Every structure is written in structure tokens, then in C-alpha cells.
Amino acid sequence: MVNVKKKRINTSYFVILLTFLALFSCKVNKEKVYEIEGKKININDSQPINSSIENFILPYRNHITKDLDSVLAYNPVVQEKSKGKWQTNIGNLFAETTLALSNPVFNTRENKTIDFCLLNHGGIRSIIPQGNVTSRTAFEIMPFENSVTIVGLKGSEVRTLADYFIKEKKPHPLARITIYTNADETAVTDIKVNENSIDDDKIYYVATTDYLANGGDSMNFFRDSTIKYDLDYKLRNLFIDYFKKIDTIPNITTERILIK
């Protein structure tokens, strides 16, 4: 004989237990609010000097200072980016130096030759004063980690580059390319690379920076190109190599924007 009444009682207990569990599980936990306080600690000469730390880093500091301040070359005139409508002497130096030292690397790796160079005016971060030039100078004029990238552009895209240049009206560093304009300098009338007029179907290899190659400064003609070669050669190291190779830095005043 089945005890139906006992089974019903057990089922009732089970239902009550589930109800209690559901109620407790739905209980809302109160969130805790934490307060965090911070304060600015200035690290300057007024702070106490830890002599043990100073003694530990002194040899390294002296070694770095010696390297940075070793004289590499001499600069006879001030090189700066603030003087010049379309070109500046430091901009010309940047572009010519980048092209000259990048071309052997590109030629060795890809068996190709760089046609011209375009950098950005804003990338020049300091002047080169008259006098001795050191490794520190290279860090001052190029404090960023930008490296050289070669971008392939069709001649028609080089025309877009020239239009961009005239529209921007900034002395972006140029080398081995000449842009001719109308009398009021508002439109491009001709473009020559290495003294030859542009061929719209030819691929031109342009030395620039990784920043510009990715479309920096709205240079979308670089960004949209599918032909790119990263030379893994930092501009700062390139300038240091250049300073070591020469005795006196040239004052390059070549004009790259001409009225025609």
C-alpha cells in the first residue's frame, strides 16, 4: 500500500526550501564605495638626494653624457625651420641627408633607387645652432622614434602629393623633386623629379617617415599606397651617422618650389 499523504508532505517541504533559496539568491548586495586620494610629488632639486643611488648611477650618467657631447661635426650657420616660405636650410638638410643615407640601404636590399624625399615640417623639433654638432644635437632635432620608410607612388599620385604641398603652404623638407606653380602659387603647372617631368604611369620611390607613410599630417597619398618598404633606420641614428661622416655641415638653400 502506497502512503500518498507522506509523499505529499515531503514534496511540500521541498517546494518551501526552493522558495527560501530563491529569495536569498535575489537579495541585492550593497555596493561598497571606496575613496582614493592622490597627491603630486615633485621630483626636482629640492628633494633630498639619496647618495647611494647617485653613486650607483654616476658612472652611467658620465658615460652617456660623454657620448652625447662628443663633437661630430661643425655647423657654420644657424639651421632653422622658421625662416623660409617654401624651403628652409634645415629642411633641405633633413631631406638631402635622409635621401643620401637611405638610398644605399634601399639599393642593397631591394635593388631599387630612391627618386626623391618628402618629410614633414613639424617633425623638425629644434634648430642646429652655429658651432659644434654632437650626438645630443641629433636627439634635439629628432626626439621621436621615427624611422625611414620608402613608399612607391605612381606619377599620378605624385601629382596629388604636389597639390597637397601647394595647398598646405608649409616648408615641408623636399629633395630631388621640383614643383612649378602659376604666378600666384595656387596651382601646380609642372613637376620634375631628377630634372625629368613626371610620367603618370611610372612608379616613383619616395623616402619619408613611418609616421607620414601611415597617413600622418593628412598625407593620404602615402597611406593609400600598397608599396612600402620599412628600412628600420631611425632618422635620429641616420643624422648621427651623417654628422660622423662629414666635417662641416652644408648650408643648403636649393629652391624646390618655382614659378613657371
Side-chain angles (χ1 to χ4, degrees), residues 68 72 94 97-98 101 119 123 125 134-148 209 232-244:
L68 288 176
L72 304 178
F94 263 51
T97 301
T98 300
L101 271 70
L119 305 175
R125 307 304 289 186
T134 65
S135 295
R136 189 184 298 276
T137 306
F139 277 84
E140 290 171 345
I141 61 177
M142 180 49 65
F144 310 115
E145 296 298 308
N146 294 126
S147 59
V148 180
T209 67
D232 193 26
Y233 195 1
K234 288 189 179 0
L235 277 177
R236 181 171 56 245
N237 295 339
L238 182 147
F239 293 137
I240 291 174
D241 291 342
Y242 176 73
F243 295 153
K244 289 178 178 179

PDB file of all heavy atoms in Angstrom, residues 68 72 94 97-98 101 119 123 125 134-148 209 232-244:
ATOM      1  N   LEU A  68      76.985  61.755 -25.694  1.00  0.00           N
ATOM      2  CA  LEU A  68      76.097  62.762 -26.265  1.00  0.00           C
ATOM      3  C   LEU A  68      76.837  64.049 -26.620  1.00  0.00           C
ATOM      4  O   LEU A  68      76.473  64.730 -27.580  1.00  0.00           O
ATOM      5  CB  LEU A  68      74.950  63.080 -25.303  1.00  0.00           C
ATOM      6  CG  LEU A  68      73.884  62.008 -25.127  1.00  0.00           C
ATOM      7  CD1 LEU A  68      72.871  62.437 -24.076  1.00  0.00           C
ATOM      8  CD2 LEU A  68      73.170  61.722 -26.450  1.00  0.00           C
ATOM      9  N   LEU A  72      81.006  65.874 -33.296  1.00  0.00           N
ATOM     10  CA  LEU A  72      80.987  65.069 -34.512  1.00  0.00           C
ATOM     11  C   LEU A  72      81.265  65.892 -35.757  1.00  0.00           C
ATOM     12  O   LEU A  72      81.848  65.384 -36.715  1.00  0.00           O
ATOM     13  CB  LEU A  72      79.627  64.375 -34.659  1.00  0.00           C
ATOM     14  CG  LEU A  72      79.167  63.504 -33.487  1.00  0.00           C
ATOM     15  CD1 LEU A  72      77.786  62.930 -33.777  1.00  0.00           C
ATOM     16  CD2 LEU A  72      80.166  62.394 -33.208  1.00  0.00           C
ATOM     17  N   PHE A  94      67.599  68.085 -43.818  1.00  0.00           N
ATOM     18  CA  PHE A  94      66.881  66.870 -43.419  1.00  0.00           C
ATOM     19  C   PHE A  94      66.610  65.971 -44.622  1.00  0.00           C
ATOM     20  O   PHE A  94      66.878  64.769 -44.592  1.00  0.00           O
ATOM     21  CB  PHE A  94      65.548  67.252 -42.761  1.00  0.00           C
ATOM     22  CG  PHE A  94      65.575  67.274 -41.259  1.00  0.00           C
ATOM     23  CD1 PHE A  94      66.557  67.969 -40.583  1.00  0.00           C
ATOM     24  CD2 PHE A  94      64.608  66.629 -40.505  1.00  0.00           C
ATOM     25  CE1 PHE A  94      66.582  68.009 -39.199  1.00  0.00           C
ATOM     26  CE2 PHE A  94      64.619  66.647 -39.131  1.00  0.00           C
ATOM     27  CZ  PHE A  94      65.613  67.338 -38.469  1.00  0.00           C
ATOM     28  N   THR A  97      69.882  64.697 -46.517  1.00  0.00           N
ATOM     29  CA  THR A  97      70.588  63.716 -45.692  1.00  0.00           C
ATOM     30  C   THR A  97      69.829  62.387 -45.654  1.00  0.00           C
ATOM     31  O   THR A  97      70.425  61.311 -45.791  1.00  0.00           O
ATOM     32  CB  THR A  97      70.760  64.255 -44.262  1.00  0.00           C
ATOM     33  OG1 THR A  97      71.496  65.469 -44.296  1.00  0.00           O
ATOM     34  CG2 THR A  97      71.495  63.254 -43.393  1.00  0.00           C
ATOM     35  N   THR A  98      68.517  62.459 -45.478  1.00  0.00           N
ATOM     36  CA  THR A  98      67.696  61.247 -45.438  1.00  0.00           C
ATOM     37  C   THR A  98      67.819  60.476 -46.740  1.00  0.00           C
ATOM     38  O   THR A  98      67.988  59.243 -46.738  1.00  0.00           O
ATOM     39  CB  THR A  98      66.221  61.608 -45.175  1.00  0.00           C
ATOM     40  OG1 THR A  98      66.131  62.277 -43.910  1.00  0.00           O
ATOM     41  CG2 THR A  98      65.349  60.374 -45.157  1.00  0.00           C
ATOM     42  N   LEU A 101      71.580  58.895 -47.254  1.00  0.00           N
ATOM     43  CA  LEU A 101      71.968  57.754 -46.426  1.00  0.00           C
ATOM     44  C   LEU A 101      70.997  56.581 -46.535  1.00  0.00           C
ATOM     45  O   LEU A 101      71.376  55.443 -46.256  1.00  0.00           O
ATOM     46  CB  LEU A 101      72.114  58.173 -44.964  1.00  0.00           C
ATOM     47  CG  LEU A 101      73.523  58.665 -44.579  1.00  0.00           C
ATOM     48  CD1 LEU A 101      73.830  60.007 -45.223  1.00  0.00           C
ATOM     49  CD2 LEU A 101      73.694  58.757 -43.073  1.00  0.00           C
ATOM     50  N   LEU A 119      59.591  64.929 -46.267  1.00  0.00           N
ATOM     51  CA  LEU A 119      59.404  64.791 -44.824  1.00  0.00           C
ATOM     52  C   LEU A 119      58.387  65.844 -44.375  1.00  0.00           C
ATOM     53  O   LEU A 119      57.786  66.517 -45.210  1.00  0.00           O
ATOM     54  CB  LEU A 119      60.743  64.956 -44.095  1.00  0.00           C
ATOM     55  CG  LEU A 119      61.877  64.027 -44.547  1.00  0.00           C
ATOM     56  CD1 LEU A 119      63.166  64.369 -43.828  1.00  0.00           C
ATOM     57  CD2 LEU A 119      61.499  62.572 -44.309  1.00  0.00           C
ATOM     58  N   GLY A 123      58.065  67.797 -37.994  1.00  0.00           N
ATOM     59  CA  GLY A 123      58.959  66.808 -37.401  1.00  0.00           C
ATOM     60  C   GLY A 123      60.292  67.375 -36.960  1.00  0.00           C
ATOM     61  O   GLY A 123      61.032  66.735 -36.207  1.00  0.00           O
ATOM     62  N   ARG A 125      62.256  69.500 -34.619  1.00  0.00           N
ATOM     63  CA  ARG A 125      61.892  69.956 -33.279  1.00  0.00           C
ATOM     64  C   ARG A 125      62.861  70.950 -32.648  1.00  0.00           C
ATOM     65  O   ARG A 125      62.621  71.407 -31.535  1.00  0.00           O
ATOM     66  CB  ARG A 125      61.751  68.747 -32.347  1.00  0.00           C
ATOM     67  CG  ARG A 125      60.813  67.680 -32.863  1.00  0.00           C
ATOM     68  CD  ARG A 125      59.430  68.222 -33.167  1.00  0.00           C
ATOM     69  NE  ARG A 125      58.693  68.572 -31.967  1.00  0.00           N
ATOM     70  CZ  ARG A 125      57.426  68.965 -31.955  1.00  0.00           C
ATOM     71  NH1 ARG A 125      56.764  69.096 -33.080  1.00  0.00           N
ATOM     72  NH2 ARG A 125      56.827  69.243 -30.822  1.00  0.00           N
ATOM     73  N   THR A 134      76.928  67.693 -32.055  1.00  0.00           N
ATOM     74  CA  THR A 134      77.169  66.472 -31.281  1.00  0.00           C
ATOM     75  C   THR A 134      76.015  65.489 -31.481  1.00  0.00           C
ATOM     76  O   THR A 134      75.032  65.788 -32.163  1.00  0.00           O
ATOM     77  CB  THR A 134      77.285  66.811 -29.785  1.00  0.00           C
ATOM     78  OG1 THR A 134      76.018  67.316 -29.327  1.00  0.00           O
ATOM     79  CG2 THR A 134      78.360  67.859 -29.531  1.00  0.00           C
ATOM     80  N   SER A 135      76.133  64.336 -30.850  1.00  0.00           N
ATOM     81  CA  SER A 135      75.020  63.385 -30.870  1.00  0.00           C
ATOM     82  C   SER A 135      73.796  63.974 -30.181  1.00  0.00           C
ATOM     83  O   SER A 135      72.655  63.692 -30.563  1.00  0.00           O
ATOM     84  CB  SER A 135      75.419  62.083 -30.174  1.00  0.00           C
ATOM     85  OG  SER A 135      76.442  61.417 -30.874  1.00  0.00           O
ATOM     86  N   ARG A 136      74.032  64.799 -29.182  1.00  0.00           N
ATOM     87  CA  ARG A 136      72.915  65.453 -28.491  1.00  0.00           C
ATOM     88  C   ARG A 136      72.105  66.304 -29.465  1.00  0.00           C
ATOM     89  O   ARG A 136      70.877  66.405 -29.352  1.00  0.00           O
ATOM     90  CB  ARG A 136      73.443  66.313 -27.334  1.00  0.00           C
ATOM     91  CG  ARG A 136      72.353  66.849 -26.426  1.00  0.00           C
ATOM     92  CD  ARG A 136      72.940  67.771 -25.359  1.00  0.00           C
ATOM     93  NE  ARG A 136      73.867  67.076 -24.496  1.00  0.00           N
ATOM     94  CZ  ARG A 136      73.510  66.361 -23.425  1.00  0.00           C
ATOM     95  NH1 ARG A 136      72.225  66.246 -23.114  1.00  0.00           N
ATOM     96  NH2 ARG A 136      74.419  65.770 -22.680  1.00  0.00           N
ATOM     97  N   THR A 137      72.792  66.916 -30.423  1.00  0.00           N
ATOM     98  CA  THR A 137      72.106  67.717 -31.436  1.00  0.00           C
ATOM     99  C   THR A 137      71.077  66.879 -32.182  1.00  0.00           C
ATOM    100  O   THR A 137      69.955  67.324 -32.442  1.00  0.00           O
ATOM    101  CB  THR A 137      73.123  68.297 -32.439  1.00  0.00           C
ATOM    102  OG1 THR A 137      74.146  69.012 -31.748  1.00  0.00           O
ATOM    103  CG2 THR A 137      72.438  69.228 -33.425  1.00  0.00           C
ATOM    104  N   ALA A 138      71.458  65.657 -32.539  1.00  0.00           N
ATOM    105  CA  ALA A 138      70.543  64.765 -33.262  1.00  0.00           C
ATOM    106  C   ALA A 138      69.320  64.436 -32.417  1.00  0.00           C
ATOM    107  O   ALA A 138      68.199  64.350 -32.944  1.00  0.00           O
ATOM    108  CB  ALA A 138      71.274  63.488 -33.665  1.00  0.00           C
ATOM    109  N   PHE A 139      69.499  64.240 -31.115  1.00  0.00           N
ATOM    110  CA  PHE A 139      68.366  63.957 -30.237  1.00  0.00           C
ATOM    111  C   PHE A 139      67.461  65.178 -30.096  1.00  0.00           C
ATOM    112  O   PHE A 139      66.257  65.038 -29.916  1.00  0.00           O
ATOM    113  CB  PHE A 139      68.855  63.524 -28.853  1.00  0.00           C
ATOM    114  CG  PHE A 139      69.222  62.072 -28.768  1.00  0.00           C
ATOM    115  CD1 PHE A 139      70.477  61.634 -29.154  1.00  0.00           C
ATOM    116  CD2 PHE A 139      68.304  61.143 -28.305  1.00  0.00           C
ATOM    117  CE1 PHE A 139      70.822  60.293 -29.082  1.00  0.00           C
ATOM    118  CE2 PHE A 139      68.639  59.795 -28.224  1.00  0.00           C
ATOM    119  CZ  PHE A 139      69.893  59.365 -28.623  1.00  0.00           C
ATOM    120  N   GLU A 140      68.041  66.369 -30.182  1.00  0.00           N
ATOM    121  CA  GLU A 140      67.247  67.587 -30.041  1.00  0.00           C
ATOM    122  C   GLU A 140      66.417  67.869 -31.292  1.00  0.00           C
ATOM    123  O   GLU A 140      65.253  68.268 -31.192  1.00  0.00           O
ATOM    124  CB  GLU A 140      68.168  68.769 -29.735  1.00  0.00           C
ATOM    125  CG  GLU A 140      68.780  68.698 -28.345  1.00  0.00           C
ATOM    126  CD  GLU A 140      69.864  69.741 -28.117  1.00  0.00           C
ATOM    127  OE1 GLU A 140      70.345  70.340 -29.110  1.00  0.00           O
ATOM    128  OE2 GLU A 140      70.247  69.947 -26.940  1.00  0.00           O
ATOM    129  N   ILE A 141      67.003  67.677 -32.465  1.00  0.00           N
ATOM    130  CA  ILE A 141      66.256  67.959 -33.698  1.00  0.00           C
ATOM    131  C   ILE A 141      65.288  66.832 -34.041  1.00  0.00           C
ATOM    132  O   ILE A 141      64.303  67.047 -34.747  1.00  0.00           O
ATOM    133  CB  ILE A 141      67.203  68.233 -34.888  1.00  0.00           C
ATOM    134  CG1 ILE A 141      68.086  67.018 -35.181  1.00  0.00           C
ATOM    135  CG2 ILE A 141      68.033  69.477 -34.635  1.00  0.00           C
ATOM    136  CD1 ILE A 141      68.985  67.193 -36.396  1.00  0.00           C
ATOM    137  N   MET A 142      65.556  65.619 -33.569  1.00  0.00           N
ATOM    138  CA  MET A 142      64.679  64.479 -33.860  1.00  0.00           C
ATOM    139  C   MET A 142      64.513  63.629 -32.601  1.00  0.00           C
ATOM    140  O   MET A 142      65.143  62.596 -32.447  1.00  0.00           O
ATOM    141  CB  MET A 142      65.264  63.641 -35.001  1.00  0.00           C
ATOM    142  CG  MET A 142      64.427  62.427 -35.382  1.00  0.00           C
ATOM    143  SD  MET A 142      62.685  62.745 -35.633  1.00  0.00           S
ATOM    144  CE  MET A 142      62.731  63.823 -37.061  1.00  0.00           C
ATOM    145  N   PRO A 143      63.656  64.078 -31.653  1.00  0.00           N
ATOM    146  CA  PRO A 143      63.476  63.337 -30.400  1.00  0.00           C
ATOM    147  C   PRO A 143      62.565  62.126 -30.536  1.00  0.00           C
ATOM    148  O   PRO A 143      62.454  61.335 -29.602  1.00  0.00           O
ATOM    149  CB  PRO A 143      62.840  64.387 -29.475  1.00  0.00           C
ATOM    150  CG  PRO A 143      62.095  65.280 -30.404  1.00  0.00           C
ATOM    151  CD  PRO A 143      62.906  65.340 -31.677  1.00  0.00           C
ATOM    152  N   PHE A 144      61.893  61.990 -31.692  1.00  0.00           N
ATOM    153  CA  PHE A 144      60.954  60.895 -31.875  1.00  0.00           C
ATOM    154  C   PHE A 144      61.666  59.632 -32.348  1.00  0.00           C
ATOM    155  O   PHE A 144      62.830  59.668 -32.743  1.00  0.00           O
ATOM    156  CB  PHE A 144      59.867  61.287 -32.875  1.00  0.00           C
ATOM    157  CG  PHE A 144      59.236  62.617 -32.577  1.00  0.00           C
ATOM    158  CD1 PHE A 144      59.388  63.681 -33.453  1.00  0.00           C
ATOM    159  CD2 PHE A 144      58.504  62.820 -31.419  1.00  0.00           C
ATOM    160  CE1 PHE A 144      58.821  64.917 -33.182  1.00  0.00           C
ATOM    161  CE2 PHE A 144      57.933  64.044 -31.141  1.00  0.00           C
ATOM    162  CZ  PHE A 144      58.093  65.097 -32.030  1.00  0.00           C
ATOM    163  N   GLU A 145      60.909  58.526 -32.353  1.00  0.00           N
ATOM    164  CA  GLU A 145      61.459  57.247 -32.785  1.00  0.00           C
ATOM    165  C   GLU A 145      61.125  56.945 -34.245  1.00  0.00           C
ATOM    166  O   GLU A 145      61.077  55.786 -34.640  1.00  0.00           O
ATOM    167  CB  GLU A 145      60.916  56.125 -31.886  1.00  0.00           C
ATOM    168  CG  GLU A 145      61.340  56.241 -30.433  1.00  0.00           C
ATOM    169  CD  GLU A 145      62.850  56.152 -30.256  1.00  0.00           C
ATOM    170  OE1 GLU A 145      63.460  55.199 -30.771  1.00  0.00           O
ATOM    171  OE2 GLU A 145      63.422  57.064 -29.619  1.00  0.00           O
ATOM    172  N   ASN A 146      60.885  57.981 -35.040  1.00  0.00           N
ATOM    173  CA  ASN A 146      60.516  57.787 -36.442  1.00  0.00           C
ATOM    174  C   ASN A 146      61.645  57.134 -37.226  1.00  0.00           C
ATOM    175  O   ASN A 146      62.819  57.448 -37.034  1.00  0.00           O
ATOM    176  CB  ASN A 146      60.158  59.118 -37.095  1.00  0.00           C
ATOM    177  CG  ASN A 146      58.896  59.736 -36.516  1.00  0.00           C
ATOM    178  OD1 ASN A 146      58.907  60.878 -36.094  1.00  0.00           O
ATOM    179  ND2 ASN A 146      57.827  58.972 -36.464  1.00  0.00           N
ATOM    180  N   SER A 147      61.269  56.229 -38.113  1.00  0.00           N
ATOM    181  CA  SER A 147      62.247  55.564 -38.972  1.00  0.00           C
ATOM    182  C   SER A 147      61.897  55.815 -40.434  1.00  0.00           C
ATOM    183  O   SER A 147      60.794  56.258 -40.767  1.00  0.00           O
ATOM    184  CB  SER A 147      62.276  54.058 -38.682  1.00  0.00           C
ATOM    185  OG  SER A 147      61.001  53.490 -38.911  1.00  0.00           O
ATOM    186  N   VAL A 148      62.848  55.508 -41.316  1.00  0.00           N
ATOM    187  CA  VAL A 148      62.688  55.775 -42.739  1.00  0.00           C
ATOM    188  C   VAL A 148      61.840  54.676 -43.390  1.00  0.00           C
ATOM    189  O   VAL A 148      62.079  53.489 -43.180  1.00  0.00           O
ATOM    190  CB  VAL A 148      64.056  55.859 -43.444  1.00  0.00           C
ATOM    191  CG1 VAL A 148      63.874  56.149 -44.934  1.00  0.00           C
ATOM    192  CG2 VAL A 148      64.931  56.917 -42.794  1.00  0.00           C
ATOM    193  N   THR A 209      58.916  59.179 -43.661  1.00  0.00           N
ATOM    194  CA  THR A 209      58.967  58.562 -42.334  1.00  0.00           C
ATOM    195  C   THR A 209      57.807  57.582 -42.169  1.00  0.00           C
ATOM    196  O   THR A 209      56.807  57.655 -42.890  1.00  0.00           O
ATOM    197  CB  THR A 209      58.874  59.619 -41.219  1.00  0.00           C
ATOM    198  OG1 THR A 209      57.560  60.215 -41.243  1.00  0.00           O
ATOM    199  CG2 THR A 209      59.913  60.702 -41.408  1.00  0.00           C
ATOM    200  N   ASP A 232      63.882  50.221 -41.327  1.00  0.00           N
ATOM    201  CA  ASP A 232      64.301  50.007 -39.934  1.00  0.00           C
ATOM    202  C   ASP A 232      65.535  50.858 -39.617  1.00  0.00           C
ATOM    203  O   ASP A 232      66.491  50.381 -39.003  1.00  0.00           O
ATOM    204  CB  ASP A 232      64.583  48.524 -39.681  1.00  0.00           C
ATOM    205  CG  ASP A 232      64.706  48.204 -38.197  1.00  0.00           C
ATOM    206  OD1 ASP A 232      64.120  48.951 -37.396  1.00  0.00           O
ATOM    207  OD2 ASP A 232      65.399  47.232 -37.851  1.00  0.00           O
ATOM    208  N   TYR A 233      65.491  52.086 -40.051  1.00  0.00           N
ATOM    209  CA  TYR A 233      66.608  53.025 -39.881  1.00  0.00           C
ATOM    210  C   TYR A 233      66.040  54.300 -39.274  1.00  0.00           C
ATOM    211  O   TYR A 233      65.387  55.087 -39.947  1.00  0.00           O
ATOM    212  CB  TYR A 233      67.239  53.300 -41.240  1.00  0.00           C
ATOM    213  CG  TYR A 233      68.600  53.966 -41.245  1.00  0.00           C
ATOM    214  CD1 TYR A 233      69.259  54.303 -40.064  1.00  0.00           C
ATOM    215  CD2 TYR A 233      69.245  54.259 -42.446  1.00  0.00           C
ATOM    216  CE1 TYR A 233      70.511  54.900 -40.087  1.00  0.00           C
ATOM    217  CE2 TYR A 233      70.497  54.853 -42.487  1.00  0.00           C
ATOM    218  CZ  TYR A 233      71.132  55.176 -41.312  1.00  0.00           C
ATOM    219  OH  TYR A 233      72.375  55.778 -41.330  1.00  0.00           O
ATOM    220  N   LYS A 234      66.271  54.506 -37.984  1.00  0.00           N
ATOM    221  CA  LYS A 234      65.723  55.671 -37.305  1.00  0.00           C
ATOM    222  C   LYS A 234      66.378  56.947 -37.838  1.00  0.00           C
ATOM    223  O   LYS A 234      67.585  56.995 -38.048  1.00  0.00           O
ATOM    224  CB  LYS A 234      65.923  55.556 -35.797  1.00  0.00           C
ATOM    225  CG  LYS A 234      65.032  54.510 -35.142  1.00  0.00           C
ATOM    226  CD  LYS A 234      65.113  54.597 -33.660  1.00  0.00           C
ATOM    227  CE  LYS A 234      64.236  53.603 -32.920  1.00  0.00           C
ATOM    228  NZ  LYS A 234      63.426  52.706 -33.682  1.00  0.00           N
ATOM    229  N   LEU A 235      65.559  57.982 -38.014  1.00  0.00           N
ATOM    230  CA  LEU A 235      66.084  59.246 -38.527  1.00  0.00           C
ATOM    231  C   LEU A 235      67.168  59.812 -37.612  1.00  0.00           C
ATOM    232  O   LEU A 235      68.156  60.360 -38.085  1.00  0.00           O
ATOM    233  CB  LEU A 235      64.947  60.264 -38.671  1.00  0.00           C
ATOM    234  CG  LEU A 235      64.123  60.182 -39.949  1.00  0.00           C
ATOM    235  CD1 LEU A 235      63.000  61.208 -39.907  1.00  0.00           C
ATOM    236  CD2 LEU A 235      64.986  60.407 -41.172  1.00  0.00           C
ATOM    237  N   ARG A 236      66.976  59.673 -36.315  1.00  0.00           N
ATOM    238  CA  ARG A 236      67.972  60.197 -35.385  1.00  0.00           C
ATOM    239  C   ARG A 236      69.317  59.502 -35.590  1.00  0.00           C
ATOM    240  O   ARG A 236      70.372  60.154 -35.628  1.00  0.00           O
ATOM    241  CB  ARG A 236      67.487  60.002 -33.946  1.00  0.00           C
ATOM    242  CG  ARG A 236      68.458  60.539 -32.916  1.00  0.00           C
ATOM    243  CD  ARG A 236      67.864  60.521 -31.531  1.00  0.00           C
ATOM    244  NE  ARG A 236      67.409  59.201 -31.138  1.00  0.00           N
ATOM    245  CZ  ARG A 236      66.139  58.888 -30.915  1.00  0.00           C
ATOM    246  NH1 ARG A 236      65.190  59.777 -31.067  1.00  0.00           N
ATOM    247  NH2 ARG A 236      65.818  57.673 -30.537  1.00  0.00           N
ATOM    248  N   ASN A 237      69.299  58.184 -35.746  1.00  0.00           N
ATOM    249  CA  ASN A 237      70.548  57.455 -35.998  1.00  0.00           C
ATOM    250  C   ASN A 237      71.135  57.832 -37.345  1.00  0.00           C
ATOM    251  O   ASN A 237      72.363  57.895 -37.510  1.00  0.00           O
ATOM    252  CB  ASN A 237      70.289  55.954 -35.936  1.00  0.00           C
ATOM    253  CG  ASN A 237      69.881  55.488 -34.554  1.00  0.00           C
ATOM    254  OD1 ASN A 237      70.145  56.175 -33.567  1.00  0.00           O
ATOM    255  ND2 ASN A 237      69.231  54.349 -34.465  1.00  0.00           N
ATOM    256  N   LEU A 238      70.258  58.095 -38.311  1.00  0.00           N
ATOM    257  CA  LEU A 238      70.715  58.500 -39.631  1.00  0.00           C
ATOM    258  C   LEU A 238      71.471  59.817 -39.547  1.00  0.00           C
ATOM    259  O   LEU A 238      72.544  59.971 -40.155  1.00  0.00           O
ATOM    260  CB  LEU A 238      69.506  58.623 -40.561  1.00  0.00           C
ATOM    261  CG  LEU A 238      69.742  58.993 -42.022  1.00  0.00           C
ATOM    262  CD1 LEU A 238      68.686  58.316 -42.905  1.00  0.00           C
ATOM    263  CD2 LEU A 238      69.671  60.498 -42.241  1.00  0.00           C
ATOM    264  N   PHE A 239      70.935  60.772 -38.780  1.00  0.00           N
ATOM    265  CA  PHE A 239      71.609  62.064 -38.645  1.00  0.00           C
ATOM    266  C   PHE A 239      72.946  61.927 -37.916  1.00  0.00           C
ATOM    267  O   PHE A 239      73.931  62.575 -38.274  1.00  0.00           O
ATOM    268  CB  PHE A 239      70.708  63.056 -37.912  1.00  0.00           C
ATOM    269  CG  PHE A 239      69.480  63.435 -38.680  1.00  0.00           C
ATOM    270  CD1 PHE A 239      68.254  63.521 -38.053  1.00  0.00           C
ATOM    271  CD2 PHE A 239      69.533  63.677 -40.043  1.00  0.00           C
ATOM    272  CE1 PHE A 239      67.107  63.844 -38.756  1.00  0.00           C
ATOM    273  CE2 PHE A 239      68.390  64.011 -40.763  1.00  0.00           C
ATOM    274  CZ  PHE A 239      67.178  64.095 -40.115  1.00  0.00           C
ATOM    275  N   ILE A 240      72.982  61.079 -36.903  1.00  0.00           N
ATOM    276  CA  ILE A 240      74.248  60.855 -36.190  1.00  0.00           C
ATOM    277  C   ILE A 240      75.279  60.261 -37.147  1.00  0.00           C
ATOM    278  O   ILE A 240      76.449  60.679 -37.162  1.00  0.00           O
ATOM    279  CB  ILE A 240      74.033  59.938 -34.970  1.00  0.00           C
ATOM    280  CG1 ILE A 240      73.214  60.665 -33.894  1.00  0.00           C
ATOM    281  CG2 ILE A 240      75.365  59.474 -34.387  1.00  0.00           C
ATOM    282  CD1 ILE A 240      72.829  59.796 -32.719  1.00  0.00           C
ATOM    283  N   ASP A 241      74.855  59.291 -37.963  1.00  0.00           N
ATOM    284  CA  ASP A 241      75.765  58.703 -38.948  1.00  0.00           C
ATOM    285  C   ASP A 241      76.265  59.761 -39.927  1.00  0.00           C
ATOM    286  O   ASP A 241      77.440  59.762 -40.313  1.00  0.00           O
ATOM    287  CB  ASP A 241      75.061  57.583 -39.715  1.00  0.00           C
ATOM    288  CG  ASP A 241      74.786  56.363 -38.852  1.00  0.00           C
ATOM    289  OD1 ASP A 241      75.425  56.245 -37.787  1.00  0.00           O
ATOM    290  OD2 ASP A 241      73.931  55.538 -39.239  1.00  0.00           O
ATOM    291  N   TYR A 242      75.367  60.672 -40.321  1.00  0.00           N
ATOM    292  CA  TYR A 242      75.757  61.729 -41.259  1.00  0.00           C
ATOM    293  C   TYR A 242      76.761  62.685 -40.622  1.00  0.00           C
ATOM    294  O   TYR A 242      77.772  63.042 -41.245  1.00  0.00           O
ATOM    295  CB  TYR A 242      74.509  62.499 -41.700  1.00  0.00           C
ATOM    296  CG  TYR A 242      74.817  63.680 -42.588  1.00  0.00           C
ATOM    297  CD1 TYR A 242      75.208  63.497 -43.910  1.00  0.00           C
ATOM    298  CD2 TYR A 242      74.710  64.976 -42.099  1.00  0.00           C
ATOM    299  CE1 TYR A 242      75.504  64.581 -44.733  1.00  0.00           C
ATOM    300  CE2 TYR A 242      74.983  66.065 -42.908  1.00  0.00           C
ATOM    301  CZ  TYR A 242      75.381  65.859 -44.223  1.00  0.00           C
ATOM    302  OH  TYR A 242      75.671  66.952 -45.020  1.00  0.00           O
ATOM    303  N   PHE A 243      76.496  63.095 -39.391  1.00  0.00           N
ATOM    304  CA  PHE A 243      77.415  64.008 -38.705  1.00  0.00           C
ATOM    305  C   PHE A 243      78.807  63.392 -38.566  1.00  0.00           C
ATOM    306  O   PHE A 243      79.824  64.093 -38.629  1.00  0.00           O
ATOM    307  CB  PHE A 243      76.871  64.371 -37.320  1.00  0.00           C
ATOM    308  CG  PHE A 243      75.597  65.161 -37.340  1.00  0.00           C
ATOM    309  CD1 PHE A 243      74.703  65.086 -36.275  1.00  0.00           C
ATOM    310  CD2 PHE A 243      75.260  65.959 -38.426  1.00  0.00           C
ATOM    311  CE1 PHE A 243      73.516  65.808 -36.293  1.00  0.00           C
ATOM    312  CE2 PHE A 243      74.071  66.685 -38.454  1.00  0.00           C
ATOM    313  CZ  PHE A 243      73.197  66.607 -37.379  1.00  0.00           C
ATOM    314  N   LYS A 244      78.853  62.079 -38.370  1.00  0.00           N
ATOM    315  CA  LYS A 244      80.148  61.404 -38.227  1.00  0.00           C
ATOM    316  C   LYS A 244      80.908  61.333 -39.547  1.00  0.00           C
ATOM    317  O   LYS A 244      82.145  61.236 -39.551  1.00  0.00           O
ATOM    318  CB  LYS A 244      79.931  59.980 -37.695  1.00  0.00           C
ATOM    319  CG  LYS A 244      79.498  59.907 -36.234  1.00  0.00           C
ATOM    320  CD  LYS A 244      79.268  58.462 -35.803  1.00  0.00           C
ATOM    321  CE  LYS A 244      78.884  58.372 -34.338  1.00  0.00           C
ATOM    322  NZ  LYS A 244      78.631  56.973 -33.907  1.00  0.00           N
TER     323      LYS A 244
END
